[in-house]
Amino acid sequence: MPMDLKDKQTEKNKHFVASLEFALQGIRTVFKEERNMRTHLLAAIAAVIFGFVFKLSAGEWLWLILSIFLVFVVEIINTAFENVVDMVTDFHFHPIGKKIKDMAAGAVLITALFSMFVGLIIFLPKFWGLLKDFL
């Protein structure tokens, strides 16, 4: 066996706990290495805080949590695509690699815009009501 594969996993995980540990490591990695994921997290925390402040209904919470998790999932998939392209191209420019990265980034943008619209639909009337009460 080549030296560089000595401590690498080469088989499917046979234990749930091992699979869970690898999944959690992937999540930690994306939060550690991707600035955009940390930005998404800050926005999600702010939205959840506002959700508690405005006492959202169950339906509003469902839409809010759905949109937050969709952004997280698509950002993780985007990061995976970026890493695969970088691995395959050895960090050299390739037009198909650029297309893949651009499309994955576009998916994140669309998902983030969806999340923003959900936030506006939920929170804008609540902020407007506060402003009307204040004035």
Side-chain angles (χ1 to χ4, degrees), residues 2-133:
M3 189 77 147
D4 60 333
L5 291 179
K6 183 177 178 183
D7 292 323
K8 307 284 191 233
Q9 179 178 352
T10 58
E11 298 180 358
K12 185 169 176 59
N13 296 328
K14 292 188 168 101
H15 301 288
F16 173 76
V17 173
S19 295
L20 184 61
E21 287 173 356
F22 289 125
L24 292 172
Q25 181 57 47
I27 293 168
R28 280 190 296 270
T29 299
V30 76
F31 275 101
K32 179 181 171 191
E33 295 180 3
E34 294 298 320
R35 182 191 74 244
N36 287 343
M37 187 61 128
R38 294 188 299 273
T39 302
H40 295 314
L41 178 62
L42 291 174
I45 290 169
V48 168
I49 289 170
F50 284 127
F52 283 114
V53 168
F54 288 115
K55 297 177 175 63
L56 298 184
S57 70
E60 291 169 327
W61 274 115
L62 286 172
W63 279 103
L64 185 66
I65 298 303
L66 171 67
S67 65
I68 289 169
F69 276 85
L70 278 175
V71 171
F72 286 166
V73 168
V74 176
E75 184 66 50
I76 290 170
I77 293 168
N78 174 53
T79 301
F81 274 113
E82 288 176 348
N83 279 276
V84 169
V85 167
D86 290 343
M87 180 182 65
V88 169
T89 63
D90 198 25
F91 296 94
H92 293 96
F93 176 80
H94 192 282
I96 295 173
K98 180 185 181 328
K99 281 184 184 179
I100 293 167
K101 286 185 171 189
D102 290 350
M103 287 185 275
V108 174
L109 177 62
I110 289 169
T111 309
L113 288 172
F114 167 77
S115 187
M116 184 187 72
F117 287 130
V118 167
L120 288 172
I121 290 167
I122 291 171
F123 291 116
L124 205 54
K126 296 176 186 321
F127 280 113
W128 181 249
L130 270 181
L131 187 62
K132 281 176 50 176
D133 291 344

